[in-house]
Amino acid sequence: MPLSRTLSMSSLPGLEDWEDEFDLENTVLFEVAWEVANKVGGIYTVLQTKAKVTGDEWGDNYYLVGPYTEQGVRTQVELLEPPTPALKRTLDSMNSKGCKFLAQNEEKPHVVAHFHEWLAGIGLCLCRARRLPVATIFTTHATLLGRYLCAGAVDFYNNLENFNVDKEAGERQIYHRYCMERAAAHCAHVFTTVSQITAIEAQHLLKRKPDIVTPNGLNVKKFSAMHEFQNLHAQSKARIQEFVRGHFYGHLDFNLDKTLYFFIAGRYEFSNKGADVFLEALARLNYLLRVNGSEQTVVAFFIMPARTNNFNVETLKGQAVRKQLWDTANTVKEKFGRKLYESLLVGSLPDMNKMLDKEDFTMMKRAIFATQRQSFPPVCTHNMLDDSSDPILTTIRRIGLFNSSADRVKVIFHPEFLSSTSPLLPVDYEEFVRGCHLGVFPSYYEPWGYTPAECTVMGIPSISTNLSGFGCFMEEHIADPSAYGIYILDRRFRSLDDSCSQLTSFLYSFCQQSRRQRIIQRNRTERLSDLLDWKYLGRYYMSARHMALAKAFPEHFTYEPHEADATQGYRYPRPASVPPSPSLSRHSSPHQSEDEEEPRDGPPDVDGERYDEDEEAAKDRRNIRAPEWPRRASCTSSTGGSKRSSVDTAPSSSLSTPSEPLSPASSLGEERN
């Protein structure tokens, strides 16, 4: 039952709750992927975070199938006996004879098998070749050929229609894998992908248009009060500051209270992930901050795992020096406090000249001498195995960002996954993200983009592109993304140099924001987290499964999508109030220090009016027009009665017009015709 276009359920908050309209008692769902309990990339996050909502829907009839690895079993799997005799017999048969289908159930349930990526797609092809009574779904999270083409510096999106796919796959020695991916896409009853940008890619490279786009979600933890996640940001930032104090010992001539932390993280694909554009923009940002005499400092982290030997000795020494200084300060503090206490006990004011003796000064002088350093702080925290040819280090040498005292932009390359057990930077990834001010992900090839999505649900602004699934999704649902801390970089209709200039403009404008503006923006960013919650996005997968059942078992299930009308759609409007420009956000009282943390609700503005996030959120909600209820597709099950599921069948239409972004624009980022 082919569809004429890709379904896009855009009216997320306008969708009615899914009721138990499908009889799933005699229906079984298998989800198959290489990353089930096997963390390799983003698909692991999809399955791990989606498991709860899918389990709530299917109960004991939901099974995940993946590779057996000892590490995965020890850390992520709780071994249980099979809940049904049929499954136990099947597993026993698989153990003794190899993998065979679940054909031993006397009741012959309706089976849905969902396969992710080409590795699992082999099973889908075999199911169809052997004519097994299974409703099949295939999801590609990124096409194999597309990833290879983009990594080869090809003008990918302008030539999608012109590629000779067989020739390109053969030249890159991936022809057989490409054929399996393409076969899985064509054999599946329902073909899905994670974003509209990847749907276009799949249509040209795999020669099938996806039936439904299934965006990736997250489990969103909402806080009872706005200031809770702001407090988490402050706590995590303090952990990062401790690392920075050690890393830059001897060159800590910048104010940490006026330091911003930017970061890029993900698979080490230098050009695909946009690390090349980010580095070039950082060099331009460094120039702008220096010539304009800015007091702001930027520390840019590159968290991209690469081949390393071990920790850099100089980096480890920095943390040791920091700890030694802390111990010295505590020792002197305790002696000072004891003498002060004894003086006060006898009722006399202390003689400050006698509070510290010669030994104390000698101890402090030795500690200061240990902080002397002739070389610049290291750029890389590890010893790289291919230091001379590493793309990030090679580019840093070219642009000259060596962490000198004159540089307003510092760079730290951490080529390893973050861990709370690390002796160098003992924080996990989530804590690190919460402590940063801005995530920068200027990807050229990014089918979805979990990193900016994770920033959003944690209330951290981010930069993504209009070539990423996340960026396109946010542009579709937000009238003015930058006002909510979602900056969308144009990498589709601009040259590389123009895109770099636009990114520089975003970074420089962000550096001009006051602390109060950043607090307001973080509140707005966190408010978008509902858009990315699986309790909404999981409905896409529900639609895919219902469609597959209707195609595989038409005598029991029907699925009849209707054309959508023009009133459907949902967009967050521009915020009702906008923070003042940096020049107007000065304190009304001359007694407040610039280094002090802003109150949770921000300081009084120039009119003496205090910013109230809850009040602003209420204004925004009143400003949102409720969308029309989407048309519904009827589904009939074998148990009798008409069963319906709420399915939107068209992309959203704008309900409000975009307006100017929050931050002032730099001359580098002017629009070009």
Side-chain angles (χ1 to χ4, degrees):
M1 192 163 55
L3 299 178
S4 60
R5 63 180 311 282
T6 300
L7 292 179
S8 175
M9 297 168 56
S10 304
S11 304
L12 294 181
L15 289 175
E16 295 177 280
D17 291 335
W18 287 75
E19 299 175 0
D20 189 15
E21 298 175 335
F22 253 61
D23 182 12
L24 301 178
E25 183 177 350
N26 197 35
T27 308
V28 180
L29 171 63
F30 288 91
E31 202 154 3
V32 187
W34 186 253
E35 296 194 34
V36 172
N38 179 36
K39 187 172 184 178
V40 178
I43 301 174
Y44 170 87
T45 306
V46 174
L47 299 170
Q48 192 257 350
T49 57
K50 185 172 65 68
K52 184 181 185 303
V53 294
T54 311
D56 291 343
E57 179 190 4
W58 289 79
D60 291 338
N61 292 340
Y62 175 47
Y63 302 95
L64 284 160
V65 180
Y68 183 95
T69 63
E70 289 295 337
Q71 177 67 17
V73 170
R74 286 197 302 267
T75 60
Q76 302 184 53
V77 175
E78 181 182 354
L79 297 177
L80 299 173
E81 286 297 318
T84 62
L87 183 61
K88 186 177 188 308
R89 290 196 300 269
T90 301
L91 292 176
D92 291 341
S93 176
M94 290 171 62
N95 288 331
S96 61
K97 303 176 183 178
C99 294
K100 290 187 177 181
F101 179 68
L102 180 53
Q104 302 184 33
N105 194 332
E106 296 81 359
E107 299 180 3
K108 295 183 179 180
H110 299 114
V111 176
V112 181
H114 191 158
F115 300 85
H116 294 264
E117 291 294 279
W118 69 272
L119 283 166
I122 300 171
L124 188 153
C125 296
L126 290 174
C127 286
R128 298 308 303 274
R130 297 175 181 178
R131 300 182 181 275
L132 299 178
V134 177
T136 57
I137 305 171
F138 180 66
T139 297
T140 180
H141 296 259
T143 69
L144 190 67
L145 183 56
R147 190 181 294 279
Y148 271 80
L149 287 170
C150 288
V154 172
D155 187 5
F156 181 65
Y157 293 98
N158 290 326
N159 292 285
L160 269 175
E161 299 177 357
N162 305 322
F163 288 121
N164 182 333
V165 291
D166 292 314
K167 176 177 177 291
E168 297 289 350
E171 289 180 349
R172 286 159 177 78
Q173 300 182 359
I174 58 169
Y175 183 72
H176 297 89
R177 284 180 282 168
Y178 164 74
C179 287
M180 286 188 284
E181 181 181 46
R182 184 169 171 177
H186 284 267
C187 288
H189 289 105
V190 173
F191 175 42
T192 82
T193 190
V194 296
S195 64
Q196 289 289 355
I197 195 74
T198 313
I200 298 171
E201 174 189 340
Q203 183 178 359
H204 289 94
L205 299 187
L206 300 181
K207 307 304 180 183
R208 179 177 178 182
K209 190 173 185 178
D211 300 296
I212 298 179
V213 170
T214 53
N216 293 331
L218 288 164
N219 293 327
V220 177
K221 177 185 177 183
K222 299 298 290 183
F223 296 94
S224 59
M226 281 291 180
H227 62 77
E228 289 188 41
F229 79 91
Q230 297 282 11
N231 290 341
L232 288 175
H233 166 73
Q235 294 167 13
S236 298
K237 184 177 70 173
R239 301 286 299 276
I240 296 175
Q241 283 180 332
E242 282 302 295
F243 167 80
V244 169
R245 287 187 175 99
H247 191 83
F248 290 93
Y249 82 91
H251 292 268
L252 198 63
D253 50 4
F254 53 93
N255 188 347
L256 288 179
D257 288 325
K258 294 183 180 179
T259 299
L260 299 177
Y261 301 113
F262 299 169
F263 81 99
I264 182 174
R267 187 184 290 110
Y268 195 178
E269 297 178 359
F270 184 65
S271 57
N272 278 4
K273 296 298 183 182
D276 52 347
V277 179
F278 187 27
L279 281 168
E280 184 63 36
L282 287 175
R284 300 183 187 187
L285 175 65
N286 185 51
Y287 172 78
L288 287 176
L289 294 176
R290 289 175 63 178
V291 298
N292 288 290
S294 174
E295 296 181 352
Q296 200 74 261
T297 301
V298 171
V299 176
F301 289 90
F302 287 73
I303 312 296
M304 291 182 158
R307 297 172 60 205
T308 64
N309 219 355
N310 212 324
F311 292 112
N312 187 313
V313 173
E314 187 64 22
T315 305
L316 287 173
K317 180 183 176 182
Q319 300 307 312
V321 169
R322 177 193 61 80
K323 187 176 184 304
Q324 181 61 40
L325 287 174
W326 178 258
D327 293 341
T328 300
N330 276 333
T331 300
V332 174
K333 181 184 71 173
E334 289 176 3
K335 293 180 67 175
F336 184 94
R338 186 165 54 251
K339 291 181 180 180
L340 176 62
Y341 172 66
E342 291 172 352
S343 177
L344 294 176
L345 277 177
V346 298
S348 63
L349 292 175
D351 184 352
M352 300 307 296
N353 295 324
K354 297 181 180 179
M355 295 301 290
L356 298 178
D357 54 30
K358 185 177 181 180
E359 181 182 346
D360 296 326
F361 282 102
T362 301
M363 185 188 307
M364 289 188 289
K365 287 179 180 179
R366 286 176 178 171
I368 293 174
F369 182 77
T371 65
Q372 303 306 305
R373 186 188 232 172
Q374 300 302 319
S375 61
F376 293 146
V379 168
C380 187
T381 59
H382 292 61
N383 296 319
M384 302 292 292
L385 289 180
D386 51 355
D387 182 283
S388 60
S389 60
D390 181 80
I392 289 180
L393 297 182
T394 300
T395 305
I396 287 174
R397 295 184 188 106
R398 177 177 60 81
I399 63 180
L401 285 180
F402 298 124
N403 293 340
S404 69
S405 297
D407 289 329
R408 297 267 54 82
V409 173
K410 321 287 186 180
V411 177
I412 299 177
F413 179 25
H414 188 276
E416 190 176 66
F417 285 121
L418 295 170
S419 171
S420 58
T421 60
S422 170
L424 191 65
L425 183 55
V427 295
D428 58 27
Y429 179 73
E430 179 178 334
E431 185 179 9
F432 174 80
V433 172
R434 285 194 183 277
C436 290
H437 296 92
L438 181 70
V440 184
F441 315 103
S443 304
Y444 183 74
Y445 185 78
E446 190 69 78
W448 174 245
Y450 253 125
T451 42
E454 289 166 337
C455 286
T456 302
V457 300
M458 287 186 271
I460 302 300
S462 64
I463 298 174
S464 54
T465 74
N466 58 357
L467 291 179
S468 71
F470 173 84
C472 294
F473 182 84
M474 285 305 192
E475 278 190 319
E476 185 180 6
H477 291 90
I478 306 173
D480 185 5
S482 61
Y484 288 90
I486 308 295
Y487 298 89
I488 310 298
L489 181 67
D490 185 0
R491 293 208 63 182
R492 189 171 188 182
F493 304 110
R494 290 178 183 242
S495 67
L496 183 62
D497 184 68
D498 284 352
S499 295
C500 188
S501 295
Q502 186 187 25
L503 177 57
T504 306
S505 173
F506 287 159
L507 299 178
Y508 185 65
S509 298
F510 191 87
C511 291
Q512 289 181 301
Q513 290 184 20
S514 66
R515 182 172 293 165
R516 176 176 184 262
Q517 287 177 303
R518 294 197 301 270
I519 290 173
I520 294 173
Q521 194 174 64
R522 283 197 297 270
N523 285 337
R524 290 177 178 167
T525 302
E526 196 271 344
R527 211 157 65 229
L528 297 177
S529 57
D530 279 342
L531 274 176
L532 302 171
D533 199 331
W534 275 123
K535 68 182 180 182
Y536 292 126
L537 298 186
R539 302 175 188 183
Y540 292 91
Y541 281 90
M542 292 181 185
S543 294
R545 293 190 287 265
H546 294 175
M547 184 184 293
L549 283 168
K551 288 186 177 183
F553 309 108
E555 67 278 10
H556 299 291
F557 304 95
T558 60
Y559 187 92
E560 300 176 358
H562 300 279
E563 288 297 325
D565 56 44
T567 62
Q568 292 183 359
Y570 183 92
R571 298 190 90 188
Y572 271 75
R574 190 170 188 264
S577 61
V578 177
S581 65
S583 61
L584 295 178
S585 59
R586 58 184 177 268
H587 299 296
S588 59
S589 169
H591 301 294
Q592 183 162 353
S593 168
E594 288 292 327
D595 297 337
E596 291 176 6
E597 275 290 345
E598 302 283 10
R600 289 168 182 166
D601 56 352
D605 62 17
V606 290
D607 300 322
E609 188 174 339
R610 187 170 291 276
Y611 168 79
D612 190 320
E613 172 61 26
D614 293 333
E615 181 180 346
E616 186 194 13
K619 290 179 181 177
D620 286 347
R621 284 191 292 270
R622 289 195 297 269
N623 193 28
I624 295 176
R625 284 179 52 193
E628 298 289 331
W629 295 118
R631 293 185 182 274
R632 304 163 72 87
S634 62
C635 300
T636 305
S637 73
S638 58
T639 56
S642 176
K643 303 295 181 181
R644 300 186 299 170
S645 60
S646 178
V647 179
D648 188 359
T649 58
S652 67
S653 58
S654 173
L655 296 182
S656 57
T657 56
S659 52
E660 294 301 317
L662 165 69
S663 305
S666 162
S667 60
L668 281 176
E670 293 178 354
E671 293 290 334
R672 291 172 171 82
N673 294 326

